[in-house]
Amino acid sequence: MILLDLIHGRYHGVAGPQVDALAEFVHGWPAAPQAAVPPRVISLQPQSAAPLIKRGLVVPGHGRPIAVERLPEPAEAIEGWGEPSAQGFGARSWLHLIAGASWSAFQLRTCTLERIARTVAFRRLVHAGPGAESVNPERLQSTVSAYRRARPIVMTSKDRCLLDSLALIQFLAAERLFAHWVIGVKTRPFGAHAWVQLGALVLNDRLERVRRFTPILVA
Amino acid sequence: MFRYLALIWDDAAESHRDAAARMSRRIRSTPRWRCALDRIGLHVFATDSRAGANRVTLIEENRGVVLGQIFSRSGDPVRQIAEPGTNDLDGRQVILTAGDSLVARHWGRWVAFLPGPGGTSSVLRDPSGSLPCYYLQRQGVWIVFSWLEDVLQVVHDLAPPKVDWSALAAFLQHGESSGSATTLEGVSRVLPGERVSLGPGQMRSDLIWDPVLMASKAEYLDPDTTSEVLRDTVRACASAWASCHDRILLRLSGGIDSSILAACLAQDGIADRVTCVNYHSRGADGDERSYARAVAARCRLQLVERERNGAFDLARVLKMARTPNPVLYVGRIASQTDAEIASSLKASALFTGAGGDTVFFEYGNSWPAADYLRQRGFDRGFWRVSMDSALLGGQSVWSTIAQAIKDQFRHGLPAPAVSGHPSLVRLPGDSSEPPRLDERFVHRALLSGHSLPVGKLTQVRHLVHPIGYYDPLVGDAAPEIVHPLLSQPVIELCLRIPTYELTRGGRGRALARRSFAHTLPAEVTNRRAKGGMEEFSTTVLMNNRALARSLLLDGQLGQRGLVDLGRVERALADRPVGFHAHVGEIHRLVAIEAWLARWTTHETPAARQAQAFDL
């Protein structure tokens, strides 16, 4: 099992007897692992739950978990829709792009993942509602495509999926479109990845890549 | 399986003449070999040739011979479309131009033997390099061949070639070379587009087709015209190859390249002779059946589906045929199934979309901006191309521009990419410096490649890289493999089209996608991802971990200090972290160790298990 420390932005692995041990006294811990529950975990901790308690990942009493959202499994990627016919990018969109990218970079430097995730989730719930609101597919496609084409002006590194995804979330929100910010993990070897998803539609990545990861945070 | 053998010698030297005569008698005594050309100083033999596919074409009153398949070009110079079935060969012109006209007026998959200068004989290999061509010398006789096992039977009474350890070290670092040297001492390769003249104690060579020169003649047409020309050229080449076979098996992965090929074969008179096969396995990228089905349905082609064999026994690679270079087996694990399906369908050929990545330009890199800057300078189009290239490379436009400017001051070939995690191979010297490559491991055309911009040079570099023709695992049972996307007209056209036009809009293979967009499902032409076999490769290795450990930890690479045994041991330990990070490299090392076992008498587990592969 992999834990994501939302305060310190670190991953921890728990495996074997430790998993069972934690099920005994941690509220909400998954039941005793069934055979072949994916993903199997690379153990990164000593054979004791004490370090998790010491790091504050497990606390006595009741904690404040982020509301658990379950997304449908990714079934489609918007890149498969091709390029939209009309591709305008006005001044306002530029403003949204630059502001969103700058704000996202600032947030990642100064805020915890917990705070960022709560903000994203709260904004989406307030504006879009908890249910799946129907989105005009053409507007979604043109907005995402416009972001993709313009992002090389503001993005500085191809490997910073966290920043890129958060920037897209901000951009979409400014355009009154609200999607989920997802962080996923995989093992063998361990890896973490972030992407943006609306329902079962992946907005900023390839379906084959996203499917390798299991969501650990959905905001 | 079409193969050839040729003997070239100096008839004035008695010992050479006698040796050639002995070898020639030995070959003639084997029923499968037919003498294609019998001249003083040159004997050429071929096996398994048949009308319509690989043939023997004598020219100019038996002064020379062309082996393989050759088509004529026709149409206007810009289009250079090949017409199938027009196989007229002006033998006189071929002799007069010493083979230059073979490249200028024809294309295909061929090797030619012609009279050379000063009593020599020349061997020419077509620019696609699809038909293998090697040579070595024994007792004064030059032996030119396509399949090394044939030579070993002819000269079985002489010492077999020895491993060239410096070449093998280069192979470990850089993969199979594009140059003339192989990993066996004294065994050399005729390069694609090369003419090698072999004579008494001499060997000279020159290029009859220069990909660097071809690529430097950039062709600027409007996008629509370029798209149309590309489509017509690819389709014509696919049709030409299809005309050589009664029934065809097409490996349809669901990716854009094989799908383009399917679209080309979905024509009247061809489609009902084609059956597609799709291989799938577990894993996020191992199952593309939905795409393959969509393509087959759209093109109205039959499709069969097979699961990849995760239970593949690695011990089989210890019995692979002996080859001039190690052969990586992972991509050939399905070859037995290919052979069985082809046999059941009576399909004589297996068509693949191999080479599409290179000709159509699929590189996740921002090179097209550098290419544009070198060819067009800082003009109005540079910004658009930089944005496209930034999208292609997944980086900012500012980094892209900076790299494009930096490339203008590059000298020599770009350094090979360095992998992100520590390799299992032990690098000689200072491993912090980019590895250097001996010239004999580099296609001679690339030695003048610094004149090309980086993107186009990379394309050339990959296009001159050898591609396999024979299957060392399955041998004669394998159908003939055909790669229509690597046909000379397609290669030449795509070399002339600038990389920034091949990727216009910031997508790899953008032009090819556009060319075939109306014939393929949108979900296929819009796909950015490629299928892969990462999980399958891991499964195969896990199922054969004990054998892999034995081969590598007790093998020659470790004993010679060419691999880091400590890292290898950790990678193959029970902890899965290192294992998964090195799966591909472990497979590669196993293939090399298995190859070494066939060539050395060193007592290793691999050598004890290896047996001669009998065709």
Side-chain angles (χ1 to χ4, degrees), chain A residues 42-43 79-83 148-159 186 188-189 206-208 211-212, chain B residues 284-285 291 364 383 387-388 390-391 393-399 505 522-523 526-529 534 576-577 580:
Chain A
I42 304 162
S43 173
E79 66 173 22
W81 294 6
E83 291 297 322
R148 186 185 78 83
R149 291 207 57 82
R151 68 179 283 285
I153 291 178
V154 294
M155 288 298 159
T156 57
S157 169
K158 68 176 172 180
D159 291 330
K186 71 176 184 71
R188 299 186 174 206
R206 302 170 187 180
L207 194 60
E208 287 81 356
R211 276 180 171 166
R212 290 184 186 143
Chain B
D285 55 356
Y291 298 107
W383 176 254
M387 287 290 286
D388 282 353
L391 283 171
Q395 61 189 54
S396 77
V397 68
W398 316 113
S399 302
E523 64 262 38
N526 292 330
R527 276 186 82 184
R528 289 175 190 271
E534 185 182 318
V577 176
H580 290 275

Side-chain angles (χ1 to χ4, degrees), chain A residues 14-25 29 32-33 43 45-49:
Chain A
V14 184
Q18 229 177 334
V19 178
D20 296 339
L22 287 169
E24 290 178 18
F25 61 86
W29 196 255
S43 173
Q45 298 296 329
Q47 299 301 309
S48 167

Side-chain angles (χ1 to χ4, degrees), chain A residues 69 96 99-100 103-104 107 115-130 133 165-181 196 219:
Chain A
E69 281 209 54
H96 290 160
W103 178 240
S104 299
Q107 279 188 303
R115 183 164 177 181
I116 297 172
R118 285 185 189 280
T119 306
V120 169
F122 179 76
R123 181 177 56 197
R124 191 188 64 259
L125 286 171
V126 164
H127 292 281
E133 182 179 336
S165 300
L166 194 55
L168 176 57
I169 286 284
Q170 309 292 6
F171 180 77
L172 290 173
E175 302 283 332
R176 313 304 295 171
L177 292 166
F178 300 93
H180 285 91
W181 187 48
V196 178

Side-chain angles (χ1 to χ4, degrees), chain B residues 500-556:
Chain B
Y500 43 88
E501 294 300 335
L502 290 170
T503 59
R504 180 182 273 259
R507 300 192 63 185
R509 295 177 278 194
L511 182 65
R513 293 173 197 272
R514 197 158 55 243
S515 298
F516 289 91
H518 66 288
T519 59
L520 289 172
E523 64 262 38
V524 172
T525 52
N526 292 330
R527 276 186 82 184
R528 289 175 190 271
K530 275 178 72 80
M533 299 199 300
E534 185 182 318
E535 191 161 320
F536 172 72
S537 301
T538 304
T539 300
V540 170
L541 191 56
M542 285 180 68
N543 290 338
N544 291 274
R545 196 204 298 247
L547 177 61
R549 275 182 64 92
S550 167
L551 288 177
L552 297 185
L553 296 183
D554 294 330
Q556 297 185 61

Side-chain angles (χ1 to χ4, degrees), chain B residues 32 76 115 180 224 235 253-254 257 275 308 319 325 400 433 492 548 569 598:
Chain B
R32 65 169 175 253
D76 65 79
S180 57
D224 289 339
R235 184 173 282 163
S253 66
D257 299 329
T275 301
R308 292 189 182 100
K319 302 174 186 176
N325 291 299
T400 299
E433 286 190 3
E492 290 178 348
E569 187 156 22
R598 305 304 306 278

Side-chain angles (χ1 to χ4, degrees), chain B residues 108-164:
Chain B
R109 176 187 56 228
W110 54 266
V111 166
F113 293 88
L114 304 174
T120 63
S121 292
S122 293
V123 186
L124 295 80
R125 189 177 179 198
D126 92 88
S128 74
S130 298
L131 197 56
C133 188
Y134 301 94
Y135 58 97
L136 54 80
Q137 193 176 39
R138 284 291 185 273
Q139 298 180 323
V141 180
W142 291 103
I143 306 174
V144 185
F145 59 94
S146 59
W147 184 241
L148 184 55
E149 288 282 355
D150 293 330
V151 177
L152 296 173
Q153 290 182 18
V154 170
V155 292
H156 62 79
D157 49 339
L158 300 176
K162 293 181 184 174
V163 175
D164 183 336

